[in-house]
Amino acid sequence: MTKATKLLTALPPPQRARLMALAQEVSFAEDTRIFEPGGTADRFWVIRSGAVSLDQEVTSLQRVTVASLGSGDLLGWSWLFPPHQWDFGAVAFSPVRAYEFDAAAVLALCEEDPQLGLTLVRSVAEILAYRLETTRGKLLEQYSISRRSR
């Protein structure tokens, strides 16, 4: 896996058009917390511009950034998997413009158009695999740095 899959460009034009018919344009001001871990995952976004940081709470006083997302990136996948709760938190690192999708409407569209559903799930799986690979690399790098500094 060499590059990140972009959800909207991964869909063939007719399927992309059907999905985009459900999109709403939204924006988030810099430093806006978009969602918290454990919150209800009932939507997702495709970032049009700006940057979003995904974070994980390490202690009640400390959060660690686990990924940075930008233009074209998928924000949120927990809507696709039970129990439909966010695994991470997300905050706008800069002003963000995005397409927002209601999960229930997208899932209904996937039931109506199984080919779109399969393509969408495969694309999300590729995105997750890429992010897992990237995170693994960061963890290995961090581990080797901490071992060298001992």
Side-chain angles (χ1 to χ4, degrees):
M1 199 164 304
T2 57
K3 65 181 184 73
T5 299
K6 303 293 185 181
L7 182 67
L8 296 179
T9 57
L11 296 172
Q15 293 175 337
R16 184 179 328 127
R18 291 195 73 199
L19 180 65
M20 289 304 295
L22 302 176
Q24 291 190 332
E25 293 186 29
V26 297
S27 59
F28 300 100
E30 183 175 353
D31 296 327
T32 298
R33 182 144 289 276
I34 300 169
F35 55 81
E36 291 280 358
T40 301
D42 60 356
R43 63 198 64 250
F44 66 96
W45 302 264
V46 174
I47 300 169
R48 296 177 57 213
S49 65
V52 173
S53 296
L54 294 179
D55 57 31
Q56 182 69 52
E57 192 173 279
V58 178
T59 69
S60 61
L61 301 175
Q62 182 184 16
R63 293 179 192 262
V64 174
T65 298
V66 295
S68 297
L69 307 177
S71 181
D73 285 334
L74 171 67
L75 172 59
W77 61 74
S78 298
W79 60 276
L80 197 51
F81 308 105
H84 307 289
Q85 294 180 325
W86 301 118
D87 291 318
F88 301 99
V91 65
F93 187 72
S94 68
V96 171
R97 292 174 46 213
Y99 294 117
E100 182 177 86
F101 297 88
D102 177 79
V106 171
L107 291 171
L109 178 61
C110 291
E111 290 288 325
E112 184 182 304
D113 182 346
Q115 187 60 46
L116 185 148
L118 179 60
T119 304
L120 184 67
V121 168
R122 282 183 175 161
S123 297
V124 171
E126 283 183 34
I127 291 165
L128 290 174
Y130 175 81
R131 290 190 188 163
L132 180 59
E133 181 180 301
T134 302
T135 301
R136 185 175 80 83
K138 287 180 183 177
L139 288 172
L140 288 172
E141 180 181 305
Q142 185 63 35
Y143 178 73
S144 69
I145 289 170
S146 67
R147 293 208 21 117
R148 279 186 261 152
S149 64
R150 286 185 189 176

